[in-house]
Amino acid sequence: MPEDRSNKVSCNNYRCEIELTLEIIGGKWKALILWELGNHGVIRFNEFQRYITEISQKMLTQQLRYLEKNKLITRKIYPVVPPMVEYSLTELGKKLIPILKEMDVWGKDYIFERDK
Amino acid sequence: MPEDRSNKVSCNNYRCEIELTLEIIGGKWKALILWELGNHGVIRFNEFQRYITEISQKMLTQQLRYLEKNKLITRKIYPVVPPMVEYSLTELGKKLIPILKEMDVWGKDYIFERDK
DNA sequence: CGGTATCCGGGTAGATACTG
DNA sequence: CAGTATCTACCCGGATACCG
């Protein structure tokens, strides 16, 4: 799975933790997934598809696996028929939410200031 | 220049300001460039190449143009020989630095917690 | 319901050469 | 010094089909 760059983080200098953080929340979907989990607490797979309507099944699965592997979310499987899977934030993942909030605030201010 | 996505930000819902912010600081180099500007104040083109040794000339130019176009940095040209160009943060760009700092802090904590 | 597998196009980023 | 120009490789993400 090419999504998993956790072993090839290009850390050559002291600045690399920003690069690391950006690798984890970067890309088109991961921050949005974390944001929704921050808002709703627990989300099932098909609920994600309703919250983030534009995402494909493949990308959703791929990004959820990436976030799980990097310990930002947990995946809880209920052995029922039909299958039921719930996703939620880990403690590490929860610590990211304030940063996402600030990015949201900055983005709103940016639009306002840029267009003045 | 395909770097410029400012006209095709995929904003369909209320969450899109995170997406917007991520488009602006996302990718491999932009956050790093802003971070260096936050540290040093004013940076010349070839100084960037010393601070961020892995970046190619092409990508540096491309990313600087993108950031300038989106009003996060200013480009000051001195009409001298040899040419001298200085880059610095705009007010909008400066507001981004605290977020980058927090991403740096989160990244360090993440490494620590993840490996426990 | 919650996934996998496979194919495919387009854009990102690298290498190299050249320039005012 | 501070860039352009061009050519190329790779991989991200979309579409579609299938499965336990």
Side-chain angles (χ1 to χ4, degrees), chain B residues 2-46:
Chain B
E3 271 312 286
D4 181 15
R5 304 178 183 168
S6 54
N7 296 323
K8 59 166 183 164
V9 175
S10 51
C11 287
N12 306 325
N13 50 43
Y14 69 99
R15 310 171 201 91
C16 81
E17 282 76 18
I18 292 183
E19 299 183 75
L20 174 63
T21 305
L22 262 183
E23 281 192 13
I24 287 170
I25 66 170
K28 200 170 179 178
W29 304 114
K30 295 196 282 280
L32 222 44
I33 289 171
L34 295 170
W35 180 249
E36 293 297 341
L37 284 171
N39 288 338
H40 297 94
V42 176
I43 306 186
R44 295 178 57 181
F45 189 86
N46 69 342

Short mmCIF file of all heavy atoms in Angstrom, two decimals, chain B residues 2-46:
data_model
loop_
_atom_site.label_atom_id
_atom_site.label_comp_id
_atom_site.label_asym_id
_atom_site.label_seq_id
_atom_site.Cartn_x
_atom_site.Cartn_y
_atom_site.Cartn_z
N PRO B 2 0.46 23.78 -12.79
CA PRO B 2 -0.50 22.90 -12.11
C PRO B 2 -0.50 23.08 -10.60
O PRO B 2 -1.42 22.64 -9.94
CB PRO B 2 -0.02 21.49 -12.49
CG PRO B 2 1.40 21.67 -12.91
CD PRO B 2 1.50 23.04 -13.46
N GLU B 3 0.52 23.73 -10.08
CA GLU B 3 0.57 23.97 -8.64
C GLU B 3 -0.60 24.81 -8.16
O GLU B 3 -1.02 24.73 -7.03
CB GLU B 3 1.86 24.69 -8.27
CG GLU B 3 3.01 23.78 -7.97
CD GLU B 3 2.63 22.67 -7.03
OE1 GLU B 3 2.46 22.93 -5.84
OE2 GLU B 3 2.51 21.52 -7.48
N ASP B 4 -1.08 25.67 -9.02
CA ASP B 4 -2.09 26.63 -8.59
C ASP B 4 -3.48 26.02 -8.59
O ASP B 4 -4.14 25.90 -9.60
CB ASP B 4 -2.09 27.84 -9.53
CG ASP B 4 -3.10 28.86 -9.08
OD1 ASP B 4 -3.57 28.76 -7.93
OD2 ASP B 4 -3.43 29.74 -9.89
N ARG B 5 -3.92 25.64 -7.41
CA ARG B 5 -5.24 25.06 -7.30
C ARG B 5 -6.23 26.07 -6.72
O ARG B 5 -7.32 25.72 -6.33
CB ARG B 5 -5.22 23.86 -6.37
CG ARG B 5 -4.23 22.80 -6.78
CD ARG B 5 -4.29 21.72 -5.75
NE ARG B 5 -3.34 20.66 -6.00
CZ ARG B 5 -3.05 19.74 -5.12
NH1 ARG B 5 -3.64 19.75 -3.94
NH2 ARG B 5 -2.18 18.80 -5.38
N SER B 6 -5.82 27.33 -6.65
CA SER B 6 -6.64 28.31 -5.93
C SER B 6 -8.01 28.48 -6.56
O SER B 6 -8.92 28.95 -5.92
CB SER B 6 -5.91 29.65 -5.88
OG SER B 6 -5.57 30.07 -7.19
N ASN B 7 -8.15 28.11 -7.80
CA ASN B 7 -9.44 28.27 -8.45
C ASN B 7 -10.26 26.99 -8.47
O ASN B 7 -11.38 26.99 -8.92
CB ASN B 7 -9.25 28.76 -9.88
CG ASN B 7 -8.62 30.12 -9.91
OD1 ASN B 7 -8.91 30.95 -9.05
ND2 ASN B 7 -7.73 30.34 -10.85
N LYS B 8 -9.66 25.93 -8.00
CA LYS B 8 -10.43 24.68 -8.03
C LYS B 8 -10.46 24.01 -6.67
O LYS B 8 -10.43 22.80 -6.54
CB LYS B 8 -9.88 23.73 -9.09
CG LYS B 8 -8.42 23.34 -8.93
CD LYS B 8 -8.11 22.14 -9.83
CE LYS B 8 -6.69 21.67 -9.65
NZ LYS B 8 -6.48 20.34 -10.19
N VAL B 9 -10.54 24.83 -5.63
CA VAL B 9 -10.70 24.28 -4.30
C VAL B 9 -12.07 23.61 -4.21
O VAL B 9 -13.08 24.21 -4.52
CB VAL B 9 -10.59 25.39 -3.24
CG1 VAL B 9 -10.87 24.82 -1.87
CG2 VAL B 9 -9.23 26.03 -3.28
N SER B 10 -12.04 22.36 -3.81
CA SER B 10 -13.27 21.57 -3.85
C SER B 10 -14.12 21.80 -2.60
O SER B 10 -14.22 20.96 -1.74
CB SER B 10 -12.91 20.10 -3.97
OG SER B 10 -11.96 19.75 -2.97
N CYS B 11 -14.72 22.97 -2.52
CA CYS B 11 -15.49 23.34 -1.34
C CYS B 11 -16.96 23.05 -1.55
O CYS B 11 -17.67 23.81 -2.19
CB CYS B 11 -15.31 24.82 -1.05
SG CYS B 11 -13.70 25.21 -0.38
N ASN B 12 -17.41 21.93 -1.01
CA ASN B 12 -18.82 21.61 -1.15
C ASN B 12 -19.56 21.71 0.17
O ASN B 12 -20.77 21.67 0.21
CB ASN B 12 -18.99 20.20 -1.69
CG ASN B 12 -18.21 20.02 -2.97
OD1 ASN B 12 -18.11 20.94 -3.76
ND2 ASN B 12 -17.65 18.84 -3.16
N ASN B 13 -18.81 21.84 1.27
CA ASN B 13 -19.48 21.79 2.56
C ASN B 13 -18.79 22.72 3.55
O ASN B 13 -17.81 23.37 3.24
CB ASN B 13 -19.48 20.35 3.07
CG ASN B 13 -18.09 19.74 3.01
OD1 ASN B 13 -17.12 20.41 3.36
ND2 ASN B 13 -17.98 18.51 2.57
N TYR B 14 -19.31 22.75 4.77
CA TYR B 14 -18.83 23.68 5.79
C TYR B 14 -17.46 23.33 6.31
O TYR B 14 -16.85 24.09 7.01
CB TYR B 14 -19.83 23.70 6.95
CG TYR B 14 -19.85 22.42 7.73
CD1 TYR B 14 -19.15 22.30 8.93
CD2 TYR B 14 -20.54 21.31 7.28
CE1 TYR B 14 -19.15 21.13 9.65
CE2 TYR B 14 -20.55 20.14 7.98
CZ TYR B 14 -19.86 20.04 9.17
OH TYR B 14 -19.86 18.88 9.87
N ARG B 15 -16.96 22.16 5.98
CA ARG B 15 -15.67 21.75 6.51
C ARG B 15 -14.51 22.22 5.66
O ARG B 15 -13.37 21.98 5.97
CB ARG B 15 -15.58 20.22 6.57
CG ARG B 15 -16.73 19.55 7.23
CD ARG B 15 -16.61 18.04 7.00
NE ARG B 15 -17.88 17.40 7.17
CZ ARG B 15 -18.73 17.20 6.19
NH1 ARG B 15 -18.44 17.56 4.97
NH2 ARG B 15 -19.89 16.61 6.43
N CYS B 16 -14.79 22.91 4.59
CA CYS B 16 -13.79 23.06 3.56
C CYS B 16 -12.62 23.97 3.92
O CYS B 16 -11.61 23.95 3.23
CB CYS B 16 -14.42 23.55 2.27
SG CYS B 16 -14.69 25.31 2.22
N GLU B 17 -12.72 24.73 4.98
CA GLU B 17 -11.59 25.60 5.30
C GLU B 17 -10.37 24.81 5.76
O GLU B 17 -9.24 25.28 5.63
CB GLU B 17 -11.99 26.64 6.35
CG GLU B 17 -12.78 27.78 5.75
CD GLU B 17 -14.21 27.39 5.46
OE1 GLU B 17 -14.67 26.37 6.03
OE2 GLU B 17 -14.88 28.08 4.67
N ILE B 18 -10.59 23.64 6.31
CA ILE B 18 -9.44 22.78 6.60
C ILE B 18 -8.81 22.32 5.30
O ILE B 18 -7.60 22.33 5.14
CB ILE B 18 -9.87 21.55 7.44
CG1 ILE B 18 -10.30 22.00 8.83
CG2 ILE B 18 -8.72 20.56 7.54
CD1 ILE B 18 -10.66 20.85 9.72
N GLU B 19 -9.66 21.95 4.38
CA GLU B 19 -9.15 21.53 3.07
C GLU B 19 -8.38 22.66 2.41
O GLU B 19 -7.32 22.45 1.82
CB GLU B 19 -10.31 21.10 2.17
CG GLU B 19 -11.08 19.92 2.71
CD GLU B 19 -12.17 19.48 1.74
OE1 GLU B 19 -11.83 18.85 0.74
OE2 GLU B 19 -13.36 19.77 2.01
N LEU B 20 -8.92 23.86 2.52
CA LEU B 20 -8.26 25.02 1.94
C LEU B 20 -6.88 25.23 2.57
O LEU B 20 -5.88 25.37 1.86
CB LEU B 20 -9.13 26.26 2.14
CG LEU B 20 -8.53 27.59 1.73
CD1 LEU B 20 -8.25 27.62 0.24
CD2 LEU B 20 -9.44 28.75 2.14
N THR B 21 -6.85 25.22 3.89
CA THR B 21 -5.57 25.41 4.58
C THR B 21 -4.58 24.32 4.20
O THR B 21 -3.41 24.59 3.96
CB THR B 21 -5.80 25.40 6.10
OG1 THR B 21 -6.77 26.39 6.43
CG2 THR B 21 -4.51 25.68 6.84
N LEU B 22 -5.08 23.10 4.10
CA LEU B 22 -4.19 21.99 3.75
C LEU B 22 -3.70 22.11 2.32
O LEU B 22 -2.58 21.70 2.00
CB LEU B 22 -4.91 20.66 3.94
CG LEU B 22 -4.60 19.95 5.24
CD1 LEU B 22 -5.29 18.61 5.29
CD2 LEU B 22 -3.10 19.77 5.43
N GLU B 23 -4.51 22.67 1.46
CA GLU B 23 -4.04 22.86 0.09
C GLU B 23 -2.90 23.87 0.06
O GLU B 23 -1.98 23.77 -0.75
CB GLU B 23 -5.18 23.34 -0.81
CG GLU B 23 -6.09 22.21 -1.25
CD GLU B 23 -7.02 22.65 -2.37
OE1 GLU B 23 -6.79 23.73 -2.95
OE2 GLU B 23 -7.96 21.92 -2.63
N ILE B 24 -2.99 24.85 0.96
CA ILE B 24 -2.00 25.92 0.94
C ILE B 24 -0.69 25.50 1.59
O ILE B 24 0.39 25.83 1.09
CB ILE B 24 -2.58 27.18 1.61
CG1 ILE B 24 -3.62 27.79 0.67
CG2 ILE B 24 -1.50 28.18 1.96
CD1 ILE B 24 -4.43 28.88 1.28
N ILE B 25 -0.77 24.78 2.71
CA ILE B 25 0.48 24.37 3.35
C ILE B 25 0.83 22.92 3.04
O ILE B 25 1.89 22.44 3.43
CB ILE B 25 0.41 24.55 4.88
CG1 ILE B 25 -0.62 23.60 5.50
CG2 ILE B 25 0.12 25.99 5.24
CD1 ILE B 25 -0.56 23.59 7.00
N GLY B 26 -0.04 22.22 2.33
CA GLY B 26 0.19 20.82 2.05
C GLY B 26 1.26 20.60 0.99
O GLY B 26 1.86 21.54 0.49
N GLY B 27 1.46 19.35 0.65
CA GLY B 27 2.52 19.03 -0.28
C GLY B 27 3.84 18.90 0.44
O GLY B 27 3.93 19.02 1.66
N LYS B 28 4.86 18.71 -0.33
CA LYS B 28 6.15 18.32 0.27
C LYS B 28 6.96 19.51 0.79
O LYS B 28 7.78 19.35 1.68
CB LYS B 28 6.96 17.58 -0.81
CG LYS B 28 8.08 16.72 -0.26
CD LYS B 28 8.65 15.86 -1.36
CE LYS B 28 9.79 14.99 -0.88
NZ LYS B 28 10.32 14.13 -1.94
N TRP B 29 6.75 20.71 0.25
CA TRP B 29 7.70 21.78 0.52
C TRP B 29 7.13 23.05 1.15
O TRP B 29 7.84 23.78 1.85
CB TRP B 29 8.39 22.18 -0.80
CG TRP B 29 9.06 21.04 -1.48
CD1 TRP B 29 8.73 20.48 -2.68
CD2 TRP B 29 10.20 20.29 -0.99
NE1 TRP B 29 9.57 19.44 -2.98
CE2 TRP B 29 10.48 19.31 -1.96
CE3 TRP B 29 10.99 20.35 0.16
CZ2 TRP B 29 11.52 18.40 -1.81
CZ3 TRP B 29 12.02 19.46 0.30
CH2 TRP B 29 12.29 18.49 -0.67
N LYS B 30 5.87 23.36 0.90
CA LYS B 30 5.35 24.68 1.25
C LYS B 30 5.45 24.99 2.74
O LYS B 30 5.86 26.09 3.12
CB LYS B 30 3.91 24.82 0.74
CG LYS B 30 3.82 24.77 -0.79
CD LYS B 30 2.52 25.28 -1.34
CE LYS B 30 1.40 24.29 -1.21
NZ LYS B 30 1.41 23.26 -2.26
N ALA B 31 5.08 24.03 3.58
CA ALA B 31 5.15 24.27 5.02
C ALA B 31 6.60 24.51 5.45
O ALA B 31 6.87 25.37 6.30
CB ALA B 31 4.56 23.09 5.79
N LEU B 32 7.50 23.78 4.84
CA LEU B 32 8.92 23.91 5.17
C LEU B 32 9.44 25.29 4.79
O LEU B 32 10.20 25.92 5.53
CB LEU B 32 9.70 22.82 4.44
CG LEU B 32 10.81 22.10 5.20
CD1 LEU B 32 10.37 21.74 6.61
CD2 LEU B 32 11.22 20.85 4.45
N ILE B 33 9.02 25.77 3.64
CA ILE B 33 9.42 27.10 3.19
C ILE B 33 8.90 28.16 4.15
O ILE B 33 9.64 29.07 4.57
CB ILE B 33 8.89 27.35 1.76
CG1 ILE B 33 9.65 26.49 0.75
CG2 ILE B 33 8.99 28.83 1.39
CD1 ILE B 33 9.07 26.50 -0.65
N LEU B 34 7.63 28.05 4.53
CA LEU B 34 7.04 29.01 5.47
C LEU B 34 7.75 28.94 6.82
O LEU B 34 8.01 29.97 7.46
CB LEU B 34 5.55 28.72 5.64
CG LEU B 34 4.69 28.92 4.39
CD1 LEU B 34 3.28 28.38 4.61
CD2 LEU B 34 4.65 30.39 3.99
N TRP B 35 8.05 27.75 7.24
CA TRP B 35 8.74 27.53 8.51
C TRP B 35 10.11 28.22 8.53
O TRP B 35 10.47 28.91 9.49
CB TRP B 35 8.89 26.03 8.73
CG TRP B 35 9.57 25.59 9.99
CD1 TRP B 35 10.79 25.00 10.08
CD2 TRP B 35 9.06 25.67 11.32
NE1 TRP B 35 11.07 24.71 11.39
CE2 TRP B 35 10.02 25.11 12.17
CE3 TRP B 35 7.88 26.17 11.87
CZ2 TRP B 35 9.85 25.03 13.54
CZ3 TRP B 35 7.71 26.07 13.25
CH2 TRP B 35 8.69 25.52 14.07
N GLU B 36 10.86 28.06 7.47
CA GLU B 36 12.16 28.70 7.37
C GLU B 36 12.03 30.22 7.38
O GLU B 36 12.83 30.93 8.01
CB GLU B 36 12.89 28.25 6.10
CG GLU B 36 13.30 26.79 6.10
CD GLU B 36 14.29 26.45 7.19
OE1 GLU B 36 14.93 27.36 7.73
OE2 GLU B 36 14.40 25.25 7.52
N LEU B 37 11.01 30.71 6.69
CA LEU B 37 10.78 32.15 6.69
C LEU B 37 10.40 32.63 8.09
O LEU B 37 10.80 33.73 8.51
CB LEU B 37 9.69 32.52 5.68
CG LEU B 37 10.11 32.51 4.22
CD1 LEU B 37 8.92 32.68 3.30
CD2 LEU B 37 11.16 33.60 3.96
N GLY B 38 9.65 31.82 8.81
CA GLY B 38 9.31 32.16 10.19
C GLY B 38 10.54 32.21 11.07
O GLY B 38 10.65 33.06 11.97
N ASN B 39 11.50 31.35 10.80
CA ASN B 39 12.73 31.32 11.60
C ASN B 39 13.69 32.44 11.26
O ASN B 39 14.33 33.01 12.14
CB ASN B 39 13.45 29.98 11.40
CG ASN B 39 12.71 28.83 12.08
OD1 ASN B 39 11.94 29.05 13.00
ND2 ASN B 39 12.96 27.62 11.61
N HIS B 40 13.81 32.74 9.96
CA HIS B 40 14.88 33.63 9.53
C HIS B 40 14.40 35.02 9.12
O HIS B 40 15.22 35.91 8.92
CB HIS B 40 15.63 33.00 8.35
CG HIS B 40 16.32 31.73 8.72
ND1 HIS B 40 15.73 30.50 8.52
CD2 HIS B 40 17.52 31.48 9.28
CE1 HIS B 40 16.56 29.55 8.95
NE2 HIS B 40 17.64 30.11 9.41
N GLY B 41 13.10 35.19 8.94
CA GLY B 41 12.59 36.51 8.56
C GLY B 41 12.66 36.76 7.07
O GLY B 41 11.67 36.76 6.38
N VAL B 42 13.87 36.97 6.58
CA VAL B 42 14.08 37.23 5.16
C VAL B 42 15.06 36.20 4.61
O VAL B 42 16.07 35.91 5.24
CB VAL B 42 14.62 38.65 4.92
CG1 VAL B 42 14.92 38.86 3.44
CG2 VAL B 42 13.63 39.69 5.42
N ILE B 43 14.74 35.62 3.48
CA ILE B 43 15.61 34.60 2.90
C ILE B 43 15.78 34.84 1.40
O ILE B 43 14.81 35.14 0.70
CB ILE B 43 15.02 33.18 3.12
CG1 ILE B 43 14.74 32.95 4.60
CG2 ILE B 43 15.98 32.13 2.58
CD1 ILE B 43 14.29 31.54 4.92
N ARG B 44 16.99 34.72 0.94
CA ARG B 44 17.26 34.82 -0.49
C ARG B 44 17.14 33.45 -1.14
O ARG B 44 17.20 32.42 -0.47
CB ARG B 44 18.67 35.38 -0.71
CG ARG B 44 18.80 36.81 -0.22
CD ARG B 44 20.21 37.31 -0.40
NE ARG B 44 20.64 37.22 -1.80
CZ ARG B 44 21.85 37.57 -2.22
NH1 ARG B 44 22.74 38.04 -1.34
NH2 ARG B 44 22.18 37.46 -3.48
N PHE B 45 17.01 33.48 -2.46
CA PHE B 45 16.75 32.23 -3.18
C PHE B 45 17.79 31.15 -2.88
O PHE B 45 17.44 30.03 -2.51
CB PHE B 45 16.69 32.49 -4.69
CG PHE B 45 16.23 31.32 -5.49
CD1 PHE B 45 14.88 31.08 -5.68
CD2 PHE B 45 17.14 30.43 -6.04
CE1 PHE B 45 14.44 29.99 -6.42
CE2 PHE B 45 16.71 29.33 -6.77
CZ PHE B 45 15.36 29.11 -6.97
N ASN B 46 19.02 31.50 -3.01
CA ASN B 46 20.03 30.44 -2.82
C ASN B 46 20.23 30.07 -1.35
O ASN B 46 20.75 29.02 -1.05
CB ASN B 46 21.35 30.83 -3.49
CG ASN B 46 22.03 31.99 -2.79
OD1 ASN B 46 21.41 32.72 -2.03
ND2 ASN B 46 23.31 32.15 -3.07
#
